[in-house]
């Protein structure tokens, strides 16, 4: 029996291609693992009315970790129209399997390291090394949303809100409500994870991202909880910034920042910005981490326009595999893998189209696999 059981969820589009690339590298590292395929994505929505079938949920209950590629998703009504005849007419609402997976398995940390590997032609500036901790289960992603606002809710909102509130005199179908729900527990554990990370890896500062001056209740709670947690880590500097200002400051001087922690939506936004500063979607990797399970993925989607061409950059997914190795405690293999990625980037011989090269997805993976024993030492470990 192998040491690890890994759920392998390619999804669709380029998800299939980038996971194939990651497997080349994991095999070259001789990770002692069984990889068990799981169905997820568009195809299963069309065939079964469920993009995240129960059998895949059951699989995830029995593995050490999972690698996920990407899936195509389309908004509710459009999705329904494409259902196969057997399912047509059933009123099924498309729900994002990834958001569901995060909530079902309480994968409360979304960890997104953004490192400018030296020599990457897409680096905004050399030397950027940011780590984003995004809360992954609540906030505006709580799933409490109303396209047509129920009468009891509209009455309550009208009664409790300010006289000048824009929606007040509108009929219920003329506005929509998405609830932003943040809990103390959820805020506490994501901020603590960020500080624990900073302590373990000797990072200097944690920045709390919020909009507490306007969104007073929920972001106020987040900020207040964060300040409490910070008291337990006196050796680590702490500051905070509004999400809007944060995007400007990050571009102006990314070197002022180190570890960033944010509620779900702001974390999503800020991590895309950070990923872009170190090469864009081809480099953005992500870990959805809970106490019992962790699911690793590139942050990009299924890129339908490139699907089947094997030309996209697999580095985001290969770095996600590196994160998985760290999570499994395979730090030596993780180090080898990251050094090999850094080597190939620095050498500049093999580059995919986004890096202004002509190499294909699997060529990049093979080049990285070949450098596992000789990769350059970099200052990120
Ligand atoms: P996308 O991330 O799939 O692609 C946008 C563009 O980014 C691509 O056209 C390509 O130019 C570039 N790109 C993406 N990955 C790349 C890579 N590895 N190497 C080089 N360039 C890359 O976003 P888009 O087009 O908005 O969404 C396509 C589908 O993916 C939609 O159905 C969307 O809902 C879904 N999606 C799924 C996600 C997931 O599975 N986690 C996340 C984001 C979107
Ligand atoms: Mg995103």
């Amino acid at each position: 029996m192998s040491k690890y059981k890994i759920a392998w969820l390619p999804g669709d589009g380029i998800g299939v291609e980038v996971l194939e690339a990651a497997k080349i590298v994991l095999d070259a590292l001789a990770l002692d693992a069984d990889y068990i395929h799981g169905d997820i994505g568009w195809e299963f929505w069309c065939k079964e009315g469920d993009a995240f079938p129960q059998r895949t949920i059951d699989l995830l209950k029995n593995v050490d970790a999972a690698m996920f590629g990407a899936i195509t998703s389309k908004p509710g009504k459009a999705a329904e129209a494409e259902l196969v005849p057997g399912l047509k007419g059933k009123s099924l609402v498309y729900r994002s399997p990834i958001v569901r997976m995060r909530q079902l398995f309480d994968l409360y940390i979304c960890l997104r390291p953004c490192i400018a590997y030296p020599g990457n032609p897409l680096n905004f500036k050399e030397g950027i090394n940011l780590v984003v901790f995004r809360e992954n289960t609540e906030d505006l992603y709580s799933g409490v949303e109303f396209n047509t606002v129920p009468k009891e809710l509209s009455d309550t909102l009208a009664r409790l809100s300010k006289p000048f509130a824009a929606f007040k005199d509108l009929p219920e179908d003329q506005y929509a409500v998405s609830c932003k729900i943040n809990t103390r527990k959820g805020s506490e554990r994501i901020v603590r994870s960020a500080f624990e990370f900073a302590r373990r890896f000797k990072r200097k500062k944690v920045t709390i991202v919020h909009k507490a001056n306007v969104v007073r209740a929920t972001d106020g709670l987040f900020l207040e909880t964060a300040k409490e947690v910070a008291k337990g880590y006196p050796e680590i500097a702490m500051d905070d910034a509004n999400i809007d200002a944060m995007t400007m400051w990050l571009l102006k001087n990314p070197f002022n920042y180190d570890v960033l922690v944010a509620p779900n939506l702001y974390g999503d936004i800020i991590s895309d910005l950070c990923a872009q500063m170190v090469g864009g979607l081809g480099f953005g990797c992500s870990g959805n981490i809970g106490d019992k399970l962790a699911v690793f993925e590139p942050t990009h989607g299924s890129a339908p326009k490139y699907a089947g061409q094997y030309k996209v950059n697999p580095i985001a997914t290969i770095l996600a595999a590196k994160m998985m190795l760290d999570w499994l405690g395979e730090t030596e293999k993780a180090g080898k893998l990251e050094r090999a990625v850094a080597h190939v980037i620095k050498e500049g011989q093999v580059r995919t189209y986004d890096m202004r090269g002509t190499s294909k997805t699997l060529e990049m993976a093979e080049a990285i696999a070949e450098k596992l024993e000789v990769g350059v030492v970099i200052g990120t470990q």
Side-chain angles (χ1 to χ4, degrees), residues 16-50:
V16 176
E17 298 160 35
V18 290
L19 238 56
E20 195 177 325
K23 185 73 171 21
I24 289 174
V25 181
L26 287 169
D27 285 347
L29 278 165
L31 183 70
D32 185 10
D34 289 331
Y35 301 92
I36 308 157
H37 177 93
D39 294 336
I40 193 165
W42 190 243
E43 185 189 338
F44 303 97
W45 164 251
C46 295
K47 278 196 206 148
E48 305 173 20
D50 192 352

Side-chain angles (χ1 to χ4, degrees), residues 70-73 98 281 297 300-306 312-313 353:
I71 53 165
T72 307
S73 45
I98 308 155
L281 286 169
E297 54 164 331
H300 62 71
S302 61
K305 84 174 176 207
Y306 293 120
V312 297
N313 193 344
Y353 86 93

Side-chain angles (χ1 to χ4, degrees), residues 117-324:
Y117 290 100
N120 182 352
L122 304 176
N123 284 340
F124 174 59
K125 288 178 181 164
E126 290 290 334
I128 293 175
N129 188 333
L130 296 160
V131 179
V132 180
F133 278 78
R134 162 190 175 193
E135 200 290 320
N136 218 16
T137 56
E138 48 181 48
D139 194 56
L140 267 166
Y141 295 66
S142 298
V144 185
E145 301 197 272
F146 305 94
N147 282 315
T148 301
V149 185
K151 184 89 174 70
E152 62 262 47
L153 180 60
S154 65
D155 286 350
T156 309
L157 291 176
R159 188 161 48 81
L160 297 180
S161 53
K162 304 237 161 41
F164 47 81
F167 68 88
K168 255 195 147 158
D169 298 318
L170 295 176
E172 283 82 6
D173 65 349
Q174 288 302 303
Y175 64 102
V177 173
S178 300
C179 297
K180 174 169 159 74
I181 302 174
N182 301 70
T183 66
R184 268 189 210 285
K185 177 184 165 196
S187 308
E188 208 264 350
R189 62 187 183 173
I190 190 66
V191 176
R192 187 168 300 286
S193 309
F195 275 99
E196 283 294 322
F197 176 93
R199 178 172 275 172
R200 182 159 161 222
F201 295 101
K202 302 206 170 4
R203 311 285 294 221
K204 296 204 165 40
K205 186 164 85 169
V206 174
T207 302
I208 319 294
V209 184
H210 60 86
K211 184 78 183 174
N213 59 338
V214 177
V215 190
R216 286 168 185 268
T218 45
D219 286 353
L221 178 143
F222 188 82
L223 181 58
E224 184 192 300
T225 309
K227 285 182 175 167
E228 266 313 300
V229 172
K231 287 184 189 156
Y233 302 84
E235 78 279 20
I236 300 159
M238 196 268 300
D239 65 0
D240 70 276
N242 281 313
I243 174 72
D244 46 347
M246 191 69 219
T247 54
M248 284 199 317
W249 293 124
L250 263 176
L251 270 187
K252 185 153 188 236
N253 196 354
F255 304 110
N256 276 353
Y257 300 96
D258 193 347
V259 177
L260 309 170
V261 59
N264 209 334
L265 180 63
Y266 308 147
D268 196 11
I269 294 169
I270 217 102
S271 58
D272 271 16
L273 174 61
C274 292
Q276 189 58 42
M277 291 197 288
V278 300
L281 286 169
F283 294 83
C285 55
S286 184
N288 302 281
I289 301 171
D291 292 332
K292 297 202 191 96
L293 176 71
V295 180
F296 298 89
E297 54 164 331
T299 58
H300 62 71
S302 61
K305 84 174 176 207
Y306 293 120
Q309 297 180 35
Y310 281 89
K311 66 178 284 189
V312 297
N313 193 344
I315 287 181
T317 314
I318 289 171
L319 289 172
K322 182 259 176 203
M323 293 175 76
M324 180 181 76

